[in-house]
Amino acid sequence: MDIREIARRAKVSTATVSRAINRVPTVDPQLAKRVWKVVDELGYYPNTQARALVLGRSRIFGLIVSEITNPFFPEIVQTFENLAVENNYEILVTSTVHDPKRMESSVRRMIERRVDGVAILTFGMEETLIEHLRFRKVPLVFIDVGPDVPGIANIRINYQNGIRQAVQHLAALRHTRIAFIAGPLHLKSALARREAFKVSMTEIGLSPELIVVGDHRMEGGMSALIELESLSNRPTAVLCSNDMTAIGVMREAYDHNIRIPDDLSVVGFDDIRMAEFTIPPLTTVQMSQHELAKIAFRALLNEVECEPSSQQHHKYELITSLVLRRSTALAPAGGHATTHLKANRATGSRKIPAAGSRS
Amino acid sequence: MDIREIARRAKVSTATVSRAINRVPTVDPQLAKRVWKVVDELGYYPNTQARALVLGRSRIFGLIVSEITNPFFPEIVQTFENLAVENNYEILVTSTVHDPKRMESSVRRMIERRVDGVAILTFGMEETLIEHLRFRKVPLVFIDVGPDVPGIANIRINYQNGIRQAVQHLAALRHTRIAFIAGPLHLKSALARREAFKVSMTEIGLSPELIVVGDHRMEGGMSALIELESLSNRPTAVLCSNDMTAIGVMREAYDHNIRIPDDLSVVGFDDIRMAEFTIPPLTTVQMSQHELAKIAFRALLNEVECEPSSQQHHKYELITSLVLRRSTALAPAGGHATTHLKANRATGSRKIPAAGSRS
DNA sequence: GGCGTGGCAGCAAACGTTTTCTACAACCGC
DNA sequence: GCGGTTGTAGAAAACGTTTGCTGCCACGCC
């Protein structure tokens, strides 16, 4: 069913149908009404790919994220989608899952579908891939980083602010041995957070020496805690590069009967929704996913719909700030007990194999 | 840059370019090589919307989920995307966020973009909306429910199996007052789980009377626990309609110093990834998101790429089964203490307002 | 009353592909 | 050597829209 079918039934030309559908004001109200009636009766929906072809605009925005399974991102995707719906855009979401092949395929798919703009909310995208998009003059939005030219918006994130608050908060609780569990260091965002930690520690006269590397996932938090606990100058507080890491830390601490926050204070980063529901609720640095998505979308829309002549090179900045919950407390008097790693609880999960007779 | 540009530079017709690009074997290898060279040099990518227009197939699958922010779904989306990439499809994901308006917009967007099939992994989609898709002969895949006609695949989920295991597991731990926190009862899936609970309880001679209603979110779990704790015949175990509810329950229990599993056993449903990382790790009924996505994708692909004549009305079924972790234990001797609701910890979260001077 | 003008509908081209059909060349067999 | 057959490239139509341009009609003005 196409526009011609409508035209036939409404006894007008396809041009008139098109104009009626698109609410072009020069069309006679009576004709328009006739068209709408037929459109409605037949349940006609315009074919957006035909429209995109002639218009040269697809009304699709690409959204490239690291992994949609990381709870940080779904919130962004949701907000982004809400805004897209409001503005009559579609979104094409792809995960890079830290795989160069997938990054490449992400970019290729965006280009093939002729998206009108791409928000790159993943880190560690290769320069040459980005060049592919830039070459085609696809408007881009980056987090943190990206070339400093018109048509490309950068969202700067003020990591320092929130991390300084976190460090000062811990220091105020008399912690001196504060560890940092970094993210994968090939990611600029992870690097930036670690640097912010170093700066903040130095500012208050502590040496930022307890730094181990995680993977921004729960597993990395778990092994990082084991690593930290095996040290002779074990920390009394640990600041994590993201919330997932912090959740892993708390989970591992649970296995070793390390009490949070009594024995060990934990601070996360991101303030994902789950942070409010961990046990104990996680003190963390908020980096509003909602705001981030809003900024990214606005930036993209601005690039696409405004005159490129206006060359307005907006500076977008997202601030971060500490949210206090209950995973931090006064430093224990003499550091926490030394037997943690021995008090292992049973771990692992078993699965019931069959349908189960009554037991 | 289009196929004609390539044709001009390779000194062949557009037909040959098209054939070369699509690896049609009848094209002269030498010509093909010439075309590929130009394609490569110019960084040409075919315009999929033009292709879709003439082919009548968009190579886009729609994926309608309830809320992408519910951790159950991102796993599905990821697996679905992986399969899509492998098979050269794109996915168009929309969240209904339990909003009729958004469901409508979801369906409209799917139709406008001319998707080749839709997996409806949300519950409570209105019949008339589905009719819109069926009317256009869009292949559909449903969870649980859906019209029983060719071109529409239903993934039946065996809730009973897993829930029976859960109930029997709790009974084996000498629990007799087992509560159930249901999901929103206008959802068929929530209803089915509750029914499975009732059946399972009855099977072992317990009466399924302790049933309260949640919302499949953490907040609902929290208030449901409060409700249950205010009862005179307070439960010693609670089975939740999904894991988010269970997380809410454990979080609320924490606030009231109800120990899990010592005072209260908790069982979830879904086995989201986070279930392994809660404190304590959550015993739950697994409903593999990975499998679910695989089945949905396969069903869709089957509907789209196979002869409609084959009429193979595959039955897809997903079984569920209990995963034991550490949120369940022997029932406390005389029920747990009665003072829970009074031993309230401080709650809520505060936010540090400004950049923070040293404290 | 004639001409000019404004308003509005329709024709047709264009968007970038795929594919059918035609055409041409080369080769083979008789 | 010629007709037939096979193999391969190109011309052109088609997919479903939008929109510039043309042209018609009616109205108003002189």
Side-chain angles (χ1 to χ4, degrees), chain B residues 19-284:
Chain B
R19 285 192 275 251
I21 288 174
N22 292 307
R23 300 273 192 279
V24 173
T26 66
V27 59
D28 180 71
Q30 202 158 8
L31 277 195
K33 215 166 283 174
R34 221 161 76 209
V35 170
W36 292 336
K37 182 143 169 283
V38 177
V39 163
D40 212 52
E41 280 171 5
L42 265 61
Y44 165 81
Y45 289 85
N47 182 328
T48 46
Q49 36 214 27
R51 179 180 281 173
L53 196 57
V54 45
L55 255 41
R57 309 243 269 101
S58 61
R59 295 199 84 83
I60 303 179
F61 279 153
L63 184 54
I64 304 185
V65 303
S66 305
E67 337 180 56
I68 187 77
T69 55
N70 176 336
F72 178 75
F73 291 106
E75 295 285 341
I76 292 181
V77 172
Q78 182 67 67
T79 303
F80 210 85
E81 189 199 331
N82 295 348
L83 291 166
V85 170
E86 275 175 37
N87 291 274
N88 255 297
Y89 274 83
E90 217 54 71
I91 62 175
L92 176 53
V93 185
T94 66
S95 298
T96 63
V97 288
H98 310 294
D99 175 0
K101 281 234 178 307
R102 284 299 285 277
M103 295 190 198
E104 206 181 302
S105 122
S106 271
V107 170
R108 184 180 46 71
R109 288 153 66 196
M110 301 281 163
I111 295 175
E112 284 184 350
R113 297 283 169 184
R114 299 295 191 269
V115 298
D116 291 339
V118 179
I120 302 186
L121 303 188
T122 183
F123 309 97
M125 179 79 95
E126 274 175 49
E127 203 60 52
T128 101
L129 283 177
I130 292 168
E131 199 49 48
H132 273 203
L133 290 163
R134 284 194 48 200
F135 173 63
R136 284 176 183 70
K137 310 232 179 304
V138 181
L140 298 180
V141 175
F142 282 91
I143 277 194
D144 272 346
V145 65
D148 197 30
V149 299
I152 303 207
N154 291 296
I155 306 178
R156 244 183 52 74
I157 296 178
N158 187 333
Y159 297 108
Q160 186 66 63
N161 192 52
I163 288 187
R164 178 184 288 119
Q165 288 179 21
V167 167
Q168 291 183 348
H169 165 66
L170 290 173
L173 290 171
R174 304 206 214 297
H175 291 277
T176 53
R177 295 201 305 285
I178 305 175
F180 186 75
I181 304 179
L185 291 178
H186 59 276
L187 303 186
K188 294 217 174 120
S189 66
L191 218 53
R193 293 171 196 200
R194 191 191 60 176
E195 288 318 300
F197 171 74
K198 284 186 183 171
V199 168
S200 305
M201 287 288 279
T202 309
E203 276 177 1
I204 59 173
L206 292 175
S207 98
E209 52 191 6
L210 283 174
I211 297 183
V212 299
V213 177
D215 56 3
H216 273 177
R217 303 165 76 183
M218 301 184 281
E219 289 82 352
M222 295 179 76
S223 40
L225 180 63
I226 293 179
E227 192 176 337
L228 286 172
E229 286 294 314
S230 68
L231 297 177
S232 55
N233 60 338
R234 192 181 299 149
T236 61
V238 53
L239 181 51
C240 304
S241 188
N242 77 347
D243 285 347
M244 297 306 277
T245 303
I247 290 174
V249 166
M250 296 201 290
R251 173 67 176 72
E252 188 69 28
Y254 174 73
D255 275 354
H256 302 302
N257 285 325
I258 301 172
R259 291 166 306 161
I260 314 277
D262 315 76
D263 300 330
L264 181 70
S265 286
V266 177
V267 179
F269 194 104
D270 282 347
D271 193 25
I272 60 175
R273 195 152 160 51
M274 186 61 69
E276 215 175 318
F277 294 89
T278 56
I279 292 176
L282 185 65
T283 291
T284 189

Side-chain angles (χ1 to χ4, degrees), chain B residues 342-356:
Chain B
K342 293 167 193 156
N344 242 14
R345 300 194 192 193
T347 187
S349 58
R350 290 161 289 148
K351 197 168 158 185
I352 288 193

